[in-house]
């Protein structure tokens, strides 16, 4: 009922690109802003439902919107072949934009969408007008660890603002926080199908495994013990809608496999790439799962034009801080124009 009523307000399409039967939403804006089409990219365990509040607002402002469903996530079919990793999906999304007639476009992404958007920007820099990410994903190596340690003793050398320091510090207890946040990542990278068979078979299993990270990634410090606040931030209706889409399309198992494909196909590339010229904007929300300083981000993104902080919002900012993320996005567009 509710999911159908909301999503039916948008125009939905499917197209076959290579081995992928891809679903996407396509809403054409005004002629004036047709030169800046925006592709919105979601991650796991999200769906295009994440954008149901943002699309009408951007459309009202005149922007053209393309919002694909990740392969094997909701309305896009599960890949029929192995090897469909974030790098492959980046190529598919680029082909989609060209097929729609958009030779140049702007990317907004979170979670896998942030990673895939960064790959698109690296591989197709002449086509990407700008990249706006919410999950500030770069390789977390010895340089970043060194910066964190220096920041512990001499914060003035590392952090641009007190707000930035508050987002990152303290590093004490960092390991424990990582275990809490990313236990799912290890399981889905190693044994995705072991989990997946249960998700497509049991409503209780899918509510638990898909619903839990939606809530935890919206909770303060991603603390599972603060699940009530996480649920209030994300919204009961949004949890139900997201889980329902995965259940009805029977794609929950396929969605887990993207972690396996990423780890065994793309990890080395994603640990070393850089984006030297394309303008980048990064929005930081307090309940996001990854926080990095602007200083460390420069290693990957050499042309950061906008780096903002917000007082509320989490991993799914389109839902729990719609105004904040869209304000950043539209101001970034005006900045790079």
């Amino acid at each position: 009922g509710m999911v159908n009523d909301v999503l039916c307000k948008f125009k939905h399409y499917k197209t076959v690109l290579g081995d992928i039967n891809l679903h996407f939403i396509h809403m054409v804006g005004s002629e004036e802003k047709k030169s800046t089409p925006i592709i919105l990219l979601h991650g796991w365990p999200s769906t295009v439902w994440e954008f149901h509040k943002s699309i009408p607002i951007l459309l009202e402002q005149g922007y053209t919107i393309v919002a694909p469903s990740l392969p094997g996530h909701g309305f896009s079919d599960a890949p029929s072949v192995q090897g469909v990793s974030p790098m492959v999906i980046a190529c598919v999304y680029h082909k989609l934009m060209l097929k729609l007639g958009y030779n140049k476009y702007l990317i907004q992404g979170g979670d896998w969408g942030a990673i895939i958007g960064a790959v698109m920007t690296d591989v197709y820099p002449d086509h990407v007008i700008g990249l706006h990410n919410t999950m500030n994903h770069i390789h977390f190596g010895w340089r970043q660890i060194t910066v964190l340690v220096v920041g512990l003793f001499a914060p003035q050398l590392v952090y641009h603002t007190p707000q930035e320091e508050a987002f990152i510090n303290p590093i004490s207890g960092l390991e424990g926080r990582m275990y809490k946040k990313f236990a799912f990542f290890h399981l889905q990278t190693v044994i995705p199908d072991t989990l997946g068979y249960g998700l497509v078979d049991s409503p209780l299993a899918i509510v638990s495994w898909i619903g839990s990270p939606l809530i935890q990634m919206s909770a303060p410090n991603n603390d599972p013990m603060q699940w009530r606040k996480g649920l209030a931030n994300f919204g009961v209706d949004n949890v139900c809608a997201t889980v329902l889409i995965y259940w009805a399309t029977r794609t929950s198992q396929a969605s887990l496999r993207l972690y396996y494909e990423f780890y065994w196909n793309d990890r080395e590339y994603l640990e070393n790439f850089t984006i030297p010229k394309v303008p980048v904007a990064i929005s930081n929300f307090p309940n996001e799962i990854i926080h990095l300083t602007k200083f460390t981000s420069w290693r990957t993104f050499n042309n950061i034009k906008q780096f903002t902080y917000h007082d509320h919002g989490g991993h799914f900012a389109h839902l729990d801080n719609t105004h904040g993320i869209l304000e950043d996005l539209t101001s970034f567009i005006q900045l790079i124009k």
Side-chain angles (χ1 to χ4, degrees):
M2 175 192 68
V3 176
N4 186 65
D5 291 345
V6 171
L7 291 182
C8 279
K9 296 175 182 177
F10 309 133
K11 294 180 179 180
H12 298 257
Y13 304 87
K14 292 194 91 170
T15 186
V16 176
L17 294 165
D19 296 308
I20 307 297
N21 190 4
L22 191 73
H23 161 269
F24 62 96
I25 293 170
H26 183 204
M27 303 293 287
V28 179
S30 66
E31 194 66 35
E32 178 190 356
K33 293 183 177 177
K34 206 170 182 180
S35 61
T36 315
I38 302 169
I39 181 168
L40 300 175
L41 306 181
H42 72 83
W44 185 90
S46 191
T47 67
V48 289
W49 175 265
E50 183 180 344
F51 307 127
H52 79 272
K53 293 164 68 176
S54 296
I55 292 174
I57 297 172
L58 290 169
L59 197 63
E60 189 175 337
Q61 294 176 6
Y63 293 103
T64 291
I65 304 298
V66 178
S69 293
L70 268 171
H73 293 61
F75 302 113
S76 286
D77 292 4
S80 58
V81 296
Q82 288 186 329
V84 180
S85 66
M87 285 185 68
V88 172
I89 296 171
C91 297
V92 169
Y93 284 172
H94 175 65
K95 290 177 182 176
L96 171 65
M97 296 304 281
L98 295 184
K99 190 173 184 178
L100 294 173
Y102 305 126
N103 190 52
K104 291 184 177 292
Y105 50 85
L106 187 133
I107 302 169
Q108 198 293 307
D111 194 83
W112 284 127
I115 295 172
I116 293 167
V119 175
M120 294 170 73
T121 306
D122 180 42
V123 179
Y124 308 108
D126 294 334
H127 296 270
V128 178
I129 300 168
L131 171 68
H132 175 222
N133 277 354
T134 52
M135 188 182 78
N136 185 3
H137 171 82
I138 62 172
H139 171 48
F140 195 78
W142 65 267
R143 290 180 179 86
Q144 286 71 37
I145 294 172
T146 301
V147 167
L148 288 176
V149 173
V150 171
L152 187 63
F153 299 101
Q156 70 277 7
L157 298 178
V158 172
Y159 303 112
H160 286 69
T161 64
Q163 193 174 25
E164 183 173 66
E165 182 182 359
F167 267 60
I168 308 295
N169 266 338
I171 65 168
S172 58
L174 180 64
E175 184 180 12
R177 294 201 300 274
M178 290 298 103
Y179 276 127
K180 283 183 179 180
K181 291 181 181 183
F182 294 108
F184 75 91
F185 187 98
H186 179 71
L187 290 171
Q188 292 173 192
T189 299
V190 179
I191 51 170
D193 284 336
T194 304
L195 293 166
Y197 289 125
L199 301 191
V200 296
D201 181 66
S202 166
L204 184 59
I206 194 172
V207 168
S208 176
W209 198 259
I210 298 292
S212 174
L214 295 173
I215 296 168
Q216 183 178 343
M217 293 176 188
S218 303
N221 299 315
N222 304 137
D223 184 355
M225 300 306 292
Q226 299 200 51
W227 64 268
R228 288 183 178 85
K229 289 183 179 179
L231 183 60
N233 290 338
F234 190 80
V236 176
D237 286 350
N238 292 322
V239 173
C240 293
T242 304
V243 171
L244 178 62
I245 290 170
Y246 276 106
W247 178 255
T249 58
R250 298 183 66 79
T251 53
S252 54
Q253 181 175 11
S255 72
L256 307 187
R257 294 180 186 140
L258 187 54
Y259 288 81
Y260 177 92
E261 300 290 1
F262 156 75
Y263 191 83
W264 299 109
N265 292 295
D266 295 358
R267 184 168 56 93
E268 186 175 347
Y269 158 75
L270 288 169
E271 287 177 353
N272 295 288
F273 80 100
T274 58
I275 296 172
K277 294 181 180 178
V278 177
V280 173
I282 297 171
S283 297
N284 297 275
F285 296 90
N287 300 331
E288 181 56 85
I289 61 175
I290 296 174
H291 290 126
L292 295 168
T293 66
K294 186 176 182 180
F295 181 80
T296 55
S297 302
W298 276 104
R299 182 200 168 199
T300 299
F301 305 115
N302 300 161
N303 190 17
I304 298 176
K305 295 292 189 184
Q306 182 176 287
F307 201 87
T308 54
Y309 291 93
H310 295 268
D311 58 8
H312 71 281
H315 194 57
F316 310 99
H318 281 279
L319 292 173
D320 62 6
N321 192 348
T322 312
H323 173 77
I325 189 172
L326 295 188
E327 187 174 54
D328 282 359
L329 176 58
T330 53
S331 65
F332 176 53
I333 292 171
Q334 296 305 315
L335 182 66
I336 61 179
K337 271 190 171 181

